[in-house]
Amino acid sequence: MNLKEIAQELVAGCREDRAKENLEKLYAPDAVSVEAMDMQGMGRETHGIEGIRGKHDWWEGAHEVSGASVSDPFLHGEDRFAVIFEVQGKVKDSGETFDMKEVGVYHVADGKIVREEFFY
């Protein structure tokens, strides 16, 4: 897959609630995910597809999403793209509601996402 195809499939997967299913298809086995802040008490960086899958599992277990949108991808050269995520919901444990907006920047090499970085 080329950059545009990867970017479009990532966005489609997010919109169609199949982001976790896309991990094997779109991500390199040793991909790195970097958050803007430590949200789980385990540091900002997560390594490997299984670690990234664990982040998805944690998010789904800890939050109730009431609304979400994903922008079309913004391509940057031949190796990066960005996506804007907007999510509304509540934290399951506390009941606290949130309205979040973040930018995800994805780095691609050899037809796979090798790094994702989130900006809040």
Side-chain angles (χ1 to χ4, degrees):
M1 297 177 89
N2 65 34
L3 179 71
K4 185 175 182 179
E5 292 167 335
I6 292 167
Q8 289 174 331
E9 180 58 25
L10 181 124
V11 167
C14 291
R15 289 176 178 166
E16 297 165 10
D17 197 28
R18 53 184 177 81
K20 280 198 310 189
E21 290 81 4
N22 261 348
L23 290 176
E24 296 290 335
K25 179 178 184 179
L26 299 179
Y27 285 70
D30 58 349
V32 177
S33 179
V34 184
E35 293 289 340
M37 65 183 89
D38 182 359
M39 295 177 49
Q40 301 177 49
M42 299 174 67
R44 292 179 45 217
E45 285 195 15
T46 302
H47 296 262
I49 289 177
E50 289 310 310
I52 295 170
R53 186 182 319 283
K55 281 180 51 177
H56 283 260
D57 291 341
W58 170 80
W59 175 262
E60 292 170 2
H63 303 91
E64 184 177 303
V65 175
S66 57
S69 66
V70 183
S71 73
D72 288 336
F74 299 87
L75 304 181
H76 185 270
E78 295 181 13
D79 66 346
R80 285 180 282 174
F81 67 95
V83 176
I84 300 170
F85 298 95
E86 296 187 58
V87 182
Q88 302 80 40
K90 73 176 181 179
V91 178
K92 289 181 181 178
D93 285 346
S94 68
E96 178 184 350
T97 60
F98 62 87
D99 191 1
M100 181 181 82
K101 188 173 190 176
E102 70 179 357
V103 175
V105 176
Y106 298 85
H107 301 255
V108 175
D110 300 320
K112 297 284 187 176
I113 295 170
V114 295
R115 183 177 179 91
E116 61 182 15
E117 299 168 322
F118 296 100
F119 297 75
Y120 302 112

